[in-house]
Amino acid sequence: MIAPTRDHFEALKAIVGDKGLLVPAGSGAGVETDIGTGGSDLAVYESCVRYGRGQAAFVVRPASSAETSQVLAYCQAAGITLIPQSGNTGLVGASTPDPSGTQGVLSFDRLLGTVESATQGSGNIIFDEENRSVTVGAGVRLSDLNAFLAPKGYVFPIDLGADPRIGGMIATNTGGARFLRYGDVRQNTLGVKVVLADAQGTELDLMSGLRKDNTGIDWKHLFIGTTGVLGVVTEAELNVVRLPQQTTAALLVPRDEAAVLKLLLEMEERCDTNLTAFEGMSAAAISAAFDHVPSLRNPFPNGEIPDYVLLVELSRTWAKRESEQSLDELMEVVLAEIWEDEDAPDQDGPLENAFIGRPEEMWALRHALSEGVKHAGKLVAFDVSFCRGDLMKFRAFMATELPKKFQNVRICDFGHVGDGGLHFNLSISNDDPRLNDANFIPSLRNWVVKIVVEKYHGSFSAEHAIGRSNQSFYDDYTPEKVKKLAAGLKALTSAGELGAVKLG
Amino acid sequence: MIAPTRDHFEALKAIVGDKGLLVPAGSGAGVETDIGTGGSDLAVYESCVRYGRGQAAFVVRPASSAETSQVLAYCQAAGITLIPQSGNTGLVGASTPDPSGTQGVLSFDRLLGTVESATQGSGNIIFDEENRSVTVGAGVRLSDLNAFLAPKGYVFPIDLGADPRIGGMIATNTGGARFLRYGDVRQNTLGVKVVLADAQGTELDLMSGLRKDNTGIDWKHLFIGTTGVLGVVTEAELNVVRLPQQTTAALLVPRDEAAVLKLLLEMEERCDTNLTAFEGMSAAAISAAFDHVPSLRNPFPNGEIPDYVLLVELSRTWAKRESEQSLDELMEVVLAEIWEDEDAPDQDGPLENAFIGRPEEMWALRHALSEGVKHAGKLVAFDVSFCRGDLMKFRAFMATELPKKFQNVRICDFGHVGDGGLHFNLSISNDDPRLNDANFIPSLRNWVVKIVVEKYHGSFSAEHAIGRSNQSFYDDYTPEKVKKLAAGLKALTSAGELGAVKLG
């Protein structure tokens, strides 16, 4: 790979126009900035929210699929490496350049719509109410999409703490806190337009908008969750759903660890798809949130935080009718049923305590966990997942075994019990001398992931895909056969004129 | 491709055992049968339910993934073509041999479980209640899976008129009548085990059972909906859901064609995911059902069948509680709300009439349509789909234009308005002399599909995938770029030792 020079900048500027290109000061093309200087105002393109600090050779910002195609074709021919970057809210180093200063950032900032002139706000979102779908540019932010949909009574139902752009959500196949009811991005993607990284920057239009269509390979799935490696998604057609009009939430205290899954099955049976979230929060994570987000109210009696707390939410898309039970009442009835279960009298039932309250307050606590654990010390974070029944078993194993292997490492996890996803966070005191040892955190990370994958058959990346942070785990835990297939597919999608592909 | 001989049969018998192989009488290997004779008791392997009449050289029935792998590797090396066959309930000629007598049938009959000795009934289904999932062999019938799940309170929620085996459901990505609520097979498949058609019969184990997992390409999607072309699925891990405990249904008569979509949006808004089906039935299809299935009761006043009737269903997974409204009451309230909508007074609202009745009776009518139209004359059937808003527009276009182009062809369609799927059936009098013209039906089919794809951007195969019946449409309507990618992928998955793949 080469270090891009002024000639390259001129060529890119000819494709995307002056304001589509950010270059280091003195480069004489595009918008000259302090990109690549290390102290940049535009550091947002060079580092992730939580990890990574790289140096960009330039930032190219195409405003359409066609421009993206030309940019990819040009960079492919010139031997320039591009790192696709969407909202840059990921946590695994997938969207920022390395420190070499030779990589360009392909930003989705201006991929705002299907009309090339759409360059701001929510861009040119096309809403098809009859099909319950929207067509959006990859650069549209989730919050902008939902602000556009809300007055119409709809929402794109992927609920995240961050505010990514749609392209990145597709590239990582995010799931979030309401997966249990709505599924992940993949399940809500009806079509994509994608540009391959081949010599032509081949555009594939896979935008049918159809819900049932089985006329061959469903190609869009290759570009969902694969971080742009096989092609860059520039537009998407997405499923949307009715915005909930009634919501109620409760904090449940399970009797013990085994009670957590019992409560999940009970709630699913008794509430069906009214159940829109079933989240788990450890005492350590809750405590860190209270310490660092003072506006939160502690809802527990005497302020005593239980060992583990579940946030359960019910919702419905219609306003409560006079003739029917409210969701608050349903929640009360359901919790009473679980409480009074004849098979498991009070003292032995799965529920130790429950608090029904304002959903906003409970979600404020849930969403503050991430901020809290960030401030509690040096954070070593994992985004892992399990078959649902294994999540609590993994936690129990770690509570016992981690201290034997790594002393003074605090577990402050939370996650999505309803879908098996776990944000397994470890916190280390900032003045711990082991942090001076460059091998300490890698060895801790390797040990945890080994337990996740080998002992519990879990995933080392539930919803952040592969980035630099996960590359070594991909290398270690992907079967050789699968790696060879992936290499073959990568070669196929980047082989230039597709007709030139030779196999066997 | 070669005509298999006794040596081939002996080799196959060595893999699958005596009862795993059916061969023509006098072949001296496996079970000698009248397969390949044209008048076979085993004609079930040689012809589809509705179309196709082929001749099998043999039927091989491996009982495990490992046997499947050996069979595929052997046939690949020997140059023998295998046609994978699951429940053989498909309608597009994808699962039966051609008339040459040289093709072998790879039957899923004995792929009943993950333990090789499981050879009958529901096989060895493994149920993981905490994960809400089952592991099944590809040869397990849908009805057997659901009979296994029902006593446990669960169901695999793909609702079909036929009773296919799981492997075929995955190979065609069936959707069915409750797609609106539960999605298709793809959305309910957590993992597959697959055997590639390469020189080794490479087995890929993609059976994680995880709901959130983004650690590279999600390979399973290549084997869903692709009729075994890229590999044969031998086992699957499937999502299951709670069995509904309350169900109510109604027949709605829309004011006019435009009212159909209005009713769909109204029902979605007012019933949320309680809405589990929204099916459309034409008067011609209903009439054919009444004519040919005498046990059906005609529920319409004076027996007068409306032009178009919608079957809507609400369901919930819990038994009605004393404290809450029943689903029957909810249906009444919702229909009254739509009826009394201030924006659209009675006479102008989308609802002309409605009948709440016994769900079983309404579904009996719905499921009898298929049988009815089969008896109404020579049937020319299409399984097409549209963006939801285009389905009724296509119907209206056809009602006007078809008679101009093809006289005396009766439209008797029905379908899944809630997901855009349409069983567009045409019926021609059995004594119509045009049936003697071999070009007549192909030209009719070509014209209809051209309208579907070119004018309405629909799919020529909503949920039956590609078979011989659809091959020419795939050839005509798949972009060249996509065909080349598909050919490349086929070459990649069948290239022999994956390490030997060379590209570019």
Side-chain angles (χ1 to χ4, degrees), chain A residues 172-195:
Chain A
T172 54
N173 187 26
T174 51
R178 291 186 172 93
F179 179 103
L180 182 63
R181 159 77 169 272
Y182 297 109
D184 53 14
V185 168
R186 186 186 300 279
Q187 293 192 21
N188 290 282
T189 300
L190 300 177
V192 295
K193 191 176 281 185
V194 65
V195 179

Side-chain angles (χ1 to χ4, degrees), chain B residues 239-446:
Chain B
N239 178 54
V240 298
V241 302
R242 285 276 174 183
L243 197 60
Q245 300 295 318
Q246 302 180 63
T247 305
T248 189
L251 298 178
L252 308 187
V253 182
R255 174 90 43 202
D256 52 31
E257 283 176 352
V260 171
L261 261 285
K262 281 184 204 150
L263 286 170
L264 173 58
L265 295 182
E266 293 272 6
M267 292 296 292
E268 287 189 334
E269 179 180 4
R270 295 170 193 281
C271 305
D272 201 0
T273 47
N274 288 298
L275 182 66
T276 41
F278 193 97
E279 300 277 293
M281 307 185 282
S282 68
I286 295 172
S287 170
F290 287 146
D291 286 351
H292 299 281
V293 185
S295 61
L296 293 174
R297 193 181 70 83
N298 183 328
F300 303 105
N302 306 319
E304 285 170 24
I305 303 171
D307 286 349
Y308 202 69
V309 179
L310 299 164
L311 190 172
V312 299
E313 179 191 73
L314 308 183
S315 64
R316 278 181 190 151
T317 62
W318 66 82
K320 183 190 163 320
R321 300 178 178 104
E322 260 186 50
S323 60
E324 72 193 353
Q325 201 179 36
S326 73
L327 275 182
D328 287 348
E329 287 161 341
L330 176 62
M331 181 75 92
E332 279 171 30
V333 167
V334 163
L335 294 179
E337 284 171 357
I338 295 173
W339 191 262
E340 289 157 14
D341 187 349
E342 285 174 26
D343 295 338
D346 293 12
Q347 303 85 322
D348 307 321
L351 195 57
E352 183 169 302
N353 212 340
F355 311 89
I356 300 180
R358 288 179 52 229
E360 314 84 75
E361 203 167 82
M362 294 179 178
W363 281 107
L365 170 59
R366 169 65 185 79
H367 287 312
L369 301 181
S370 191
E371 191 63 19
V373 298
K374 222 158 52 179
H375 289 94
K378 169 68 184 173
L379 177 65
V380 183
F382 302 84
D383 169 42
V384 295
S385 71
F386 303 91
C387 284
R388 304 198 309 180
D390 290 329
L391 187 149
M392 296 304 290
K393 291 175 193 155
F394 168 81
R395 289 187 78 249
F397 178 90
M398 280 293 166
T400 312
E401 300 300 321
L402 181 69
K404 296 183 191 163
K405 190 88 185 168
F406 297 91
Q407 288 76 36
N408 298 318
V409 174
R410 197 161 172 233
I411 300 173
C412 38
D413 65 304
F414 56 92
H416 316 294
V417 177
D419 60 55
L422 180 66
H423 297 284
F424 189 68
N425 299 300
L426 301 179
S427 182
I428 301 162
S429 171
N430 283 318
D431 55 13
D432 190 313
R434 292 173 298 181
L435 295 177
N436 299 321
D437 174 359
N439 291 322
F440 176 66
I441 289 180
S443 68
L444 175 58
R445 284 174 57 81
N446 290 343

Side-chain angles (χ1 to χ4, degrees), chain A residues 295-448:
Chain A
S295 61
L296 294 174
R297 194 180 70 82
N298 184 327
F300 304 105
N302 306 317
E304 284 169 26
I305 303 170
D307 285 349
Y308 202 67
V309 178
L310 299 164
L311 191 171
V312 299
E313 180 192 71
L314 308 182
S315 63
R316 277 182 191 150
T317 62
W318 66 82
K320 182 192 166 314
R321 300 178 178 102
E322 260 186 47
S323 61
E324 73 192 353
Q325 201 178 37
S326 72
L327 276 182
D328 286 349
E329 289 161 339
L330 176 62
M331 181 74 91
E332 277 170 29
V333 167
V334 163
L335 295 180
E337 285 171 358
I338 295 173
W339 190 263
E340 289 156 12
D341 187 350
E342 286 174 26
D343 295 338
D346 293 11
Q347 303 85 323
D348 307 322
L351 195 57
E352 184 170 300
N353 211 339
F355 310 89
I356 299 180
R358 291 178 48 228
E360 315 85 75
E361 202 167 82
M362 293 177 178
W363 281 108
L365 169 60
R366 169 65 185 78
H367 286 312
L369 300 180
S370 193
E371 191 62 19
V373 299
K374 224 160 48 180
H375 288 95
K378 169 68 184 170
L379 176 66
V380 183
F382 302 83
D383 169 42
V384 295
S385 72
F386 304 91
C387 284
R388 304 198 309 180
D390 289 330
L391 187 149
M392 296 304 289
K393 290 174 193 155
F394 168 81
R395 289 187 79 246
F397 178 90
M398 280 294 166
T400 312
E401 299 300 319
L402 181 69
K404 295 182 191 166
K405 191 89 183 166
F406 296 91
Q407 288 76 36
N408 299 318
V409 173
R410 196 161 172 231
I411 300 174
C412 36
D413 66 303
F414 55 94
H416 316 293
V417 176
D419 60 54
L422 180 65
H423 296 285
F424 188 68
N425 299 300
L426 302 179
S427 182
I428 300 163
S429 172
N430 282 318
D431 56 12
D432 191 312
R434 292 173 298 180
L435 295 178
N436 299 321
D437 174 359
N439 290 321
F440 176 66
I441 289 180
S443 69
L444 174 59
R445 285 174 57 81
N446 290 344
W447 182 76
V448 170

Side-chain angles (χ1 to χ4, degrees), chain A residues 130-132 176 181 212-214 268 270 273 321 337 385 388 419 459 461-462 465 481 491 502-503, chain B residues 130-132 176 203 212-214 268 270 272-273 321 337 385 388 419 459 461-462 465 491 502-503:
Chain A
E130 291 185 329
N131 204 40
R132 264 208 288 104
R181 159 77 169 272
K212 277 181 175 166
D213 179 24
N214 286 287
E268 286 188 334
R270 296 171 193 280
T273 48
R321 300 178 178 102
E337 285 171 358
S385 72
R388 304 198 309 180
D419 60 54
S459 167
S461 187
K481 289 175 198 169
K502 297 253 184 307
L503 291 138
Chain B
E130 291 185 327
N131 204 41
R132 264 208 288 102
E203 289 183 70
K212 276 183 175 164
D213 180 23
N214 286 287
E268 287 189 334
R270 295 170 193 281
D272 201 0
T273 47
R321 300 178 178 104
E337 284 171 357
S385 71
R388 304 198 309 180
D419 60 55
S459 168
S461 188
K502 295 257 184 305
L503 290 138

Side-chain angles (χ1 to χ4, degrees), chain B residues 38-72:
Chain B
S40 173
D41 287 344
L42 295 164
V44 61
Y45 293 106
E46 297 180 305
S47 59
C48 296
V49 174
R50 205 186 281 172
Y51 303 100
R53 174 152 299 279
Q55 194 178 331
F58 61 88
V59 178
V60 62
R61 312 191 303 153
S64 67
S65 244
E67 285 184 12
T68 308
S69 164
Q70 291 177 57
V71 167
L72 286 182

